[in-house]
Amino acid sequence: MKQISQPVVKKDAAALLSGKPVYTDDLAMKDCLIIKLLRSPHAFAKIKKIDTSKALRIPGIEAIFTYEDVPNTRFTLAGQTYPELSPYDGKILENIVRYVGDEVAIIVGKDEMCCEQAKKLIQVEYEVYEPLLDFTKAIDNKIVVHPEDDYKYLVDIGNEVKRNIVSQGRDEAGDVEKELSLCDVVIERDYHTKANAQAMMETFRSYAYLDAYNRLNIVSSTQIPFHVRRIVANALELPKSKIRVIKPRIGGGFGAKQTACCEIFSAFVTWKLKKPSKIVYTREETFMASNSRHEMKMHVRVGAMKDGTICAIDLHTLSNTGAYGEHGPTTVGLSGHKSLPLYKLNASCFSYEVVYTNTMRAGAYRGYGATQGIFAVESAINELADALKMDPCELRLKNMVEEGDIMPQYYNETANSCTLKDCLLKAMELIDWKNKSLKTDLGDKVRGLGVALAMQGSGIANVDVGSVRIKLEDDGFYTLSIGATDMGTGCDTILAQMAAECLDCEVDQIVVQGVDTDSSPYDTGSYASSTTYVTGMAVVKACEQLKEKIVKEAALLMQTKEEELVFDGKMIRTLDENKAMSLNEFAYLCAAGGKGKMLMADDSHSSMVSPPPFMAGIAEVDVDKLTGEITMHDYVAVVDCGTVINTNLARVQVEGGIAQGIGMALLEDIVYDKNGRMIANSFMQYKLPTRKDVGEIRVDFMPSYEPTGPFGAKSIGEVVINTPSPAIASAVAHASGQYVRTLPITPEKVLGFKHED
Amino acid sequence: MKISLTVNGRKIQEDIQESMLLIDFLRSHGYTSVKRGCETSNCGLCTVLMDDHPILSCSMLAARADGHSIVTLEGAGKEAEAFAEFMAKEGAEQCGFCSPGLIMNVIAMKKELKNPTKEEIKQYLSGNLCRCSGYMSQMRAIEKYLQEESV
Ligand code: FES
Ligand code: FES
C-alpha cells in the first residue's frame, strides 16, 4: 500500500503552522454583536424577579434577554443521533437555575466592555434552595433537581426523575454470586474518579448571521455540526431547513464540543435581532459552565482462584451527571461494557445508576465512561495480583481476551481482531519488565512499576452513520466532501489517504472540504472513535463506485467495452494497450465538449459492530519517600488499532492521550466549595500537565487486521486515555505501599495525610 | 491614548483605550495567529516577541508596547517556516491552536540558549501548554530543528 501506514503530513499543516485565520473567532465578521451571559451565583434557586432596566441604559447595549423572552421548549445539548438517549431537561433560559454558572440572562452589546458593565447592573431576586451536591446521596433525596412537569425523555433509559435518577440498569452474564462464592480470593474495593475538564485550548465559541435567504447560519467550533443543526432547531422551535452550520478548524474538542454549549445563544440572538452575533467563552466559563467528565464511584468485586484464574467480576457504577443529563445514560454504559470484556470470565455483572446533582453538567470526554470503568476494573485486577503475589502481567496474560473470543458484556460481539497479548508482551519488552522488580529503592525515592490494559469501541454500532461524496474534477483531481469533523486529530488527512489509496493517486490529488451542513454529506460527527472506522469505510465504498463510473464512462468515450479497460490511477487503457487516455484528458472530456458527464459518487456507512481497539500501558514512576511527590519516569504504550493509517498521527494520538491520562491520574480535579461553587476554574488551580510533568512517553503498535474496517483499521482516538490512571495507581502503590483509589493520586493521599473522600 | 509601535516591521499609530491588552490590539489589526487560551497567564498561546524577547501578549497592556517592536507569527518569516516544517513532519500540530505561541517561543529560545539540553528545552517552554500532542512530537521537532540549524 502506497498511502496507508505512511507518515503523511496533515493537509492543514501549512495553514496551522503559519498562523492563518482558520478558526472560528478569526473568521467572525468585525461587526458581530458581542454576547455575554449572566450566570447564577447559586447552586439551586428560583428566579423571582429580574430587572434589566438599569443595565439596558448602558451605551452600546443592544438587548438583554431573560427566561421570559426565550422559547419554552425543553431539549438536550447532547450531540447524539436522534432519538437521543439524553433526556430533554434544559431550556435556553429558565426561571430555575440548577448549578453555579447556569445561565440567567443573555446580554448583547457592541463590545465586551459594555456587556460586562451591563452584567453588573442586572438585578436578580432569587429564592435560594438548598442544593444537592453529594451525588452519593442523590437517590431519593428530599431535594429534587428536576421537579418540573414538562421534563421528557425519548427512549426508555430507566429514568426516575423524581428520585433524581436519570438512568439505571443492570446486565448480568452468568451467575456472578455463585461464581464469586466458589472463588479462593475475592477482592472487593471502591474506586472514585473525578470530574475532569477536557480543557481543549480553544474555548467554546460560535457566531451566527442571516444570509440572503433569511436563513440562520452558524459558524461553530463543534464536533457535531449536523447535531447542532437539530439542537438549535429544537431550541428555537425552527425547522431544520432554516439552519446551516459550518465548522472551520477547531482548536481541540476531546468530547467537550460534542455538547452544544454555546451555539444556542448566538443562534437565538441573531434570529431575534436579525444581526450577526458572536459568543466566546472565557476559560473560566469553560471550566465552570460547560461540561466535564462524569464523576463516578465504582464498587468492584473480582473473584479468582489461587492459580490466578479470574472467574467473575461484579461492577456497580454510580455516575454524577450534574444538573443536566447530557450523555449521562450513555457514558455510564461504557464503564462496564468496555472494561469487563478485557477478561475471559465465567460470569460478570454490571449495574449502574446515573444521578442528578446541583453541579455543572457532565458530558463527553475522551474515553466516555470507559476511562472510569477501566480505572476501577484494572485497579482491582492489580490489587488481586498483589494479593495473590502474582506478577500483574502474568495474571493478565493468563486471563485476557483473545482474538476469536465472544465478549458477553460487549453485546456478545466477537473479538475479530485482537493482538492484546502481543501488545502487553511488547510493552514488557520495551520497559524491560523481566529484569526489573515492581519496586526499586533509589535512596530518597522509590521507583514503582504498574500496568493496565484498555479497550474502547469504534463508532456506535447500528446508530451512527458517516457519508462522503467524491467528485472527479476537470483537471483530474478529486474533491472529497465529508461530514466528519476534523478537530485537530487529522481525520481530513486520514480520509484523504484512504481515498488516494483507493484511487491510486497521491494524497495531494485529493482535496478535502470542511463541514457545511448545506453541502457536506450527512455525518453524525466526530465522536465515539468513529471517524477512521465508520466514515473511512464510506470513503472506501464511494471511491470504489467512482472507479467503476470512470471505467464505464471511459468505455463510452473510447468506444470500447468496460471489461477491456483498466484504470491505474493515472491512465485508462485497453488491455491490449492499443488505446490509452490519461486521467487528465478523460476529466477534461467529461467536463467539456458535450460528450461526457461529470462523475461523482457518494456512499454512507453504518456498522453493525463496533470492534474494540486494545492496548497495554506500563508506567514507571518515582515516589519521594519524604514528600510523597510523584514523578513520571517512563510510560510505554503499545496499541492495537488494527491497521495504522497514518503512522505519525496515530503516534501523536497515543502520546496526547497518555499525557491527558497522566493529568487525570496525578493532577486534575474539579473541586467545589460547600456551596457548590467550582473552586478550580482556571489553569492556575486546575493544573494541566506541562511538558515537565509527563516524563518520557514511548509508543509502539501491534496492528491486527479488522475485517470490517477500512484497510483493516479500527479506532484510536479514545482508547489511549484509559491506561494511565490504573497503571500509575499501581506503580505508586508498589513504590509507596499506599493504594490510592480516589483520583487524582496526590502526595497527600500517597502519604496517607488526606482521607480519600 | 496614542501609541506608536512596529508590528512585523510595519509602523502603527493609534488612539487606544488605556485598558486595551496587547493581544486584543494585535488581533484587531488582523494578526490573528495570536491566540488566547486563558485569562491567567498560564497557557502561553499568546506569546509574541517584543524587541526579540518572548512576552505574553495577554498580560501586557498595548500601551506598554508603545515605542517597541512586536513580531507575531505572521511576521516571523524564514525561521518560523523552517521550524514549522519539522513540526509538520512529526504531525506535532494537532489542533494547531497552541502552535503560534510555541513557534514564537522556540524562535526566542534558539536565540537565547546555545545547545540546550532536553531538560533546558522543557524548562524554557514549560509555559507553553498543549492539550493535544502530549509534547513528545514537539520535542522531536525541536531537537531535529536545532540540530539542523547548528550544522
Ligand atoms: S492567553 Fe494564556 S497565557 Fe496569554
Ligand atoms: S495542538 Fe492542540 S493544543 Fe497543542
Side-chain angles (χ1 to χ4, degrees):
Chain A
M1 284 188 285
K2 286 204 208 93
Q3 309 299 345
I4 303 296
S5 302
Q6 300 296 324
V8 175
V9 169
K10 275 175 75 205
K11 282 190 154 289
D12 51 5
L16 300 190
L17 291 167
S18 58
K20 289 287 176 298
V22 291
Y23 302 91
T24 304
D25 193 28
D26 307 343
L27 300 169
M29 37 283 236
K30 290 262 181 308
D31 63 342
C32 275
L33 289 168
I34 300 300
I35 303 171
K36 288 278 159 191
L37 301 168
L38 174 68
R39 299 180 175 282
S40 167
H42 305 294
F44 200 18
K46 185 171 182 167
I47 299 170
K48 284 166 60 183
K49 220 167 92 191
I50 305 189
D51 182 359
T52 58
S53 55
K54 278 208 191 100
L56 279 166
R57 267 182 251 141
I58 297 288
I61 290 297
E62 189 97 3
I64 296 174
F65 301 106
T66 69
Y67 69 90
E68 287 168 330
D69 307 308
V70 300
N72 221 357
T73 320
R74 281 190 196 279
F75 55 91
T76 176
L77 298 175
Q80 299 177 307
T81 292
Y82 180 87
E84 302 95 317
L85 293 175
S86 303
Y88 280 25
D89 58 4
K91 295 183 181 181
I92 300 177
L93 297 173
E94 201 179 338
N95 67 340
I96 294 187
V97 283
R98 294 186 179 81
Y99 75 95
V100 176
D102 214 350
E103 293 86 14
V104 172
I106 304 169
I107 305 153
V108 192
K110 72 172 196 331
D111 57 26
E112 251 179 60
M113 216 194 300
C114 73
C115 292
E116 290 298 346
Q117 269 178 323
K119 195 156 122 181
K120 294 195 192 99
L121 295 176
I122 301 176
Q123 287 164 327
V124 191
E125 211 179 294
Y126 293 98
E127 181 182 341
V128 179
Y129 301 147
E130 187 193 338
L132 170 50
L133 298 173
D134 180 351
F135 79 117
T136 63
K137 303 209 172 84
I139 297 176
D140 295 325
N141 198 295
K142 66 177 197 308
I143 306 165
V144 177
V145 178
H146 282 274
E148 68 273 11
D149 298 327
D150 56 347
Y151 179 96
K152 96 177 171 192
Y153 47 87
L154 311 181
V155 183
D156 181 13
I157 44 175
N159 185 290
E160 286 186 76
V161 65
K162 296 297 175 291
R163 299 179 63 204
N164 291 318
I165 298 175
V166 184
S167 176
Q168 57 193 321
R170 181 187 156 87
D171 290 293
E172 183 159 6
D175 188 339
V176 163
E177 291 309 328
K178 185 167 150 236
E179 284 293 334
L180 286 175
S181 71
L182 298 175
C183 287
D184 295 334
V185 198
V186 175
I187 293 286
E188 183 165 3
R189 297 281 189 278
D190 289 294
Y191 299 94
H192 184 182
T193 57
K194 295 301 199 58
N196 286 159
Q198 301 91 338
M200 61 283 161
M201 282 297 131
E202 183 197 34
T203 59
F204 295 91
R205 55 200 57 198
S206 68
Y207 67 92
Y209 57 92
L210 297 181
D211 63 17
Y213 309 99
N214 203 30
R215 289 173 75 230
L216 183 57
N217 288 242
I218 303 163
V219 181
S220 171
S221 176
T222 180
Q223 296 171 228
I224 40 148
F226 287 91
H227 292 327
V228 167
R229 184 171 68 180
R230 184 191 57 249
I231 293 164
V232 170
N234 284 347
L236 269 58
E237 299 173 345
L238 286 175
K240 274 196 221 168
S241 60
K242 281 275 174 211
I243 299 164
R244 172 188 180 199
V245 181
I246 298 163
K247 178 226 69 129
R249 296 286 93 186
I250 310 180
F254 313 117
K257 293 171 184 172
Q258 199 195 336
T259 297
C261 294
C262 75
E263 292 85 346
I264 49 170
F265 300 110
S266 50
F268 173 74
V269 167
T270 291
W271 191 247
K272 210 56 190 186
L273 301 177
K274 309 294 175 208
K275 289 182 186 172
S277 71
K278 175 173 90 174
I279 184 161
V280 177
Y281 275 20
T282 61
R283 179 58 61 186
E284 186 184 358
E285 282 179 298
T286 298
F287 268 114
M288 59 187 293
S290 64
N291 67 85
S292 69
R293 189 184 287 291
H294 286 77
E295 176 182 17
M296 293 187 189
K297 276 199 170 172
M298 288 148 291
H299 184 78
V300 193
R301 288 185 299 158
V302 182
M305 306 312 286
K306 276 204 199 90
D307 70 350
T309 308
I310 303 173
C311 306
I313 306 181
D314 176 43
L315 169 68
H316 175 265
T317 303
L318 178 70
S319 170
N320 179 11
T321 200
Y324 300 94
E326 274 80 10
H327 302 283
T330 37
T331 41
V332 75
L334 275 66
S335 72
H337 297 308
K338 290 182 184 168
S339 58
L340 301 175
L342 284 168
Y343 297 99
K344 300 178 202 272
L345 302 168
N346 298 339
S348 62
C349 183
F350 167 49
S351 56
Y352 59 89
E353 292 100 25
V354 185
V355 295
Y356 282 121
T357 57
N358 293 112
T359 55
M360 181 175 78
R361 69 162 56 76
Y365 180 10
R366 195 181 211 172
Y368 204 83
T371 317
Q372 293 93 312
I374 286 172
F375 172 63
V377 168
E378 282 300 90
S379 293
I381 298 291
N382 282 328
E383 296 205 53
L384 172 69
D386 294 346
L388 290 171
K389 300 204 172 9
M390 254 185 99
D391 179 302
C393 287
E394 291 307 324
L395 178 65
R396 286 179 167 84
L397 289 169
K398 198 175 160 79
N399 292 284
M400 68 167 69
V401 62
E402 285 174 286
E403 198 159 284
D405 286 353
I406 292 174
M407 301 173 283
Q409 284 287 2
Y410 198 69
Y411 325 105
N412 277 318
E413 280 187 27
T414 306
N416 281 323
S417 56
C418 174
T419 57
L420 184 56
K421 196 163 263 180
D422 301 328
C423 289
L424 181 56
L425 290 170
K426 183 75 194 179
M428 290 165 71
E429 181 193 318
L430 284 174
I431 206 108
D432 198 15
W433 182 271
K434 295 244 152 76
N435 297 312
K436 286 182 178 168
S437 54
L438 297 177
K439 171 182 182 174
T440 313
D441 198 319
L442 304 175
D444 292 344
K445 293 181 176 188
V446 188
R447 182 161 290 174
L449 274 179
V451 59
L453 305 178
M455 63 184 286
Q456 194 79 35
S458 303
I460 307 177
N462 298 312
V463 172
D464 287 340
V465 56
S467 344
V468 304
R469 177 180 314 126
I470 184 147
K471 283 194 291 179
L472 174 66
E473 303 289 348
D474 62 0
D475 204 13
F477 68 99
Y478 304 93
T479 42
L480 176 66
S481 311
I482 57 175
T485 48
D486 193 332
M487 49 177 145
T489 47
C491 78
D492 288 357
T493 310
I494 286 161
L495 296 172
Q497 279 178 264
M498 293 186 191
E501 184 70 38
C502 292
L503 295 163
D504 259 318
C505 66
E506 296 303 317
V507 176
D508 286 345
Q509 235 170 301
I510 311 280
V511 174
V512 188
Q513 292 166 341
V515 184
D516 175 338
T517 54
D518 274 6
S519 55
S520 306
Y522 183 85
D523 194 292
T524 38
S526 289
Y527 57 85
S529 292
S530 62
T531 321
T532 300
Y533 177 75
V534 179
T535 312
M537 210 58 197
V539 170
V540 172
K541 286 185 185 169
C543 290
E544 288 311 318
Q545 266 195 54
L546 183 62
K547 267 197 334 212
E548 278 170 31
K549 287 189 180 176
I550 290 173
V551 171
K552 199 165 167 193
E553 193 61 22
L556 284 177
L557 293 173
M558 294 165 79
Q559 292 168 337
T560 174
K561 291 207 204 83
E562 277 172 57
E563 312 83 74
E564 298 284 304
L565 284 180
V566 276
F567 169 46
D568 66 2
K570 285 198 186 69
M571 300 294 293
I572 308 161
R573 24 173 152 246
T574 50
L575 286 173
D576 58 14
E577 310 237 332
N578 274 340
K579 289 186 193 166
M581 198 194 290
S582 72
L583 181 65
N584 283 23
E585 281 174 79
F586 170 73
Y588 276 119
L589 278 183
C590 285
K595 285 205 200 101
K597 59 175 181 209
M598 293 309 288
L599 298 182
M600 65 174 99
D602 39 59
D603 219 324
S604 355
H605 184 69
S606 186
S607 179
M608 313 273 280
V609 291
S610 174
F614 294 98
M615 72 177 290
I618 298 180
E620 197 170 29
V621 308
D622 294 342
V623 182
D624 190 296
K625 285 180 187 165
L626 209 61
T627 63
E629 195 197 346
I630 303 153
T631 346
M632 290 306 300
H633 178 66
D634 197 4
Y635 201 100
V636 298
V638 184
V639 185
D640 161 20
C641 57
T643 301
V644 179
I645 304 290
N646 186 313
T647 47
N648 266 355
L649 298 183
R651 176 174 305 272
V652 180
Q653 279 296 303
V654 186
E655 291 165 350
I658 300 291
Q660 280 183 8
I662 290 172
M664 176 183 186
L666 297 178
L667 302 166
E668 300 179 36
D669 194 0
I670 289 185
V671 225
Y672 291 89
D673 70 11
K674 63 179 195 322
N675 300 317
R677 170 171 274 277
M678 195 184 288
I679 302 168
N681 59 7
S682 79
F683 287 149
M684 202 87 91
Q685 298 112 318
Y686 187 96
K687 286 290 180 199
L688 298 189
T690 71
R691 65 192 77 226
K692 285 162 68 185
D693 297 320
V694 295
E696 195 67 23
I697 302 170
R698 295 186 290 144
V699 173
D700 209 341
F701 295 92
M702 278 292 147
S704 60
Y705 189 91
E706 170 52 43
T708 63
F711 305 100
K714 299 187 278 191
S715 79
I716 190 159
E718 295 188 274
V719 67
V720 293
I721 199 171
N722 295 340
T723 59
S725 294
I728 292 169
S730 173
V732 169
H734 290 145
S736 68
Q738 184 79 3
Y739 217 107
V740 179
R741 301 184 186 93
T742 297
L743 297 180
I745 307 159
T746 58
E748 295 89 335
K749 292 179 196 167
V750 172
L751 295 178
F753 289 166
K754 188 169 163 190
H755 194 66
E756 286 196 16
D757 280 307
Chain B
M1 65 177 294
K2 251 205 165 62
I3 59 165
S4 136
L5 71 168
T6 323
V7 182
N8 298 338
R10 192 166 72 98
K11 261 218 143 31
I12 305 180
Q13 275 194 359
E14 197 170 283
D15 219 356
I16 57 158
Q17 294 258 9
E18 250 165 72
S19 59
M20 187 176 221
L21 293 170
L22 182 58
I23 184 173
D24 296 319
F25 178 84
L26 292 170
R27 283 189 63 87
S28 73
H29 280 271
Y31 302 109
T32 51
S33 73
V34 188
K35 297 287 187 267
R36 178 185 257 123
C38 72
E39 297 98 43
T40 49
S41 314
N42 289 106
C43 75
L45 265 61
C46 61
T47 307
V48 299
L49 304 184
M50 182 157 100
D51 307 331
D52 284 343
H53 291 291
I55 54 150
L56 298 176
S57 63
C58 72
S59 315
M60 183 179 281
L61 291 173
R64 278 199 47 206
D66 186 29
H68 294 276
S69 160
I70 302 289
V71 177
T72 70
L73 181 55
E74 286 90 344
K78 289 264 169 308
E79 271 189 301
E81 269 169 47
F83 176 53
E85 210 170 295
F86 287 97
M87 288 280 286
K89 276 194 195 136
E90 293 297 331
E93 83 302 350
Q94 285 278 291
C95 77
F97 210 69
C98 70
S99 301
L102 175 75
I103 295 174
M104 296 317 287
N105 221 7
V106 167
I107 290 175
M109 176 181 77
K110 194 175 133 246
K111 283 215 180 78
E112 210 173 306
L113 306 181
K114 291 284 155 261
N115 302 321
T117 62
K118 226 176 178 160
E119 288 317 305
E120 285 168 331
I121 296 174
K122 284 189 193 172
Q123 180 60 34
Y124 195 97
L125 300 174
S126 63
N128 290 85
L129 293 181
C130 174
R131 188 58 155 171
C132 299
S133 72
Y135 306 112
M136 300 295 128
S137 53
Q138 293 182 353
M139 183 57 97
R140 290 193 287 273
I142 292 165
E143 286 186 321
K144 286 178 187 168
Y145 166 67
L146 294 179
Q147 226 165 44
E148 174 97 337
E149 294 288 303
S150 65
V151 291

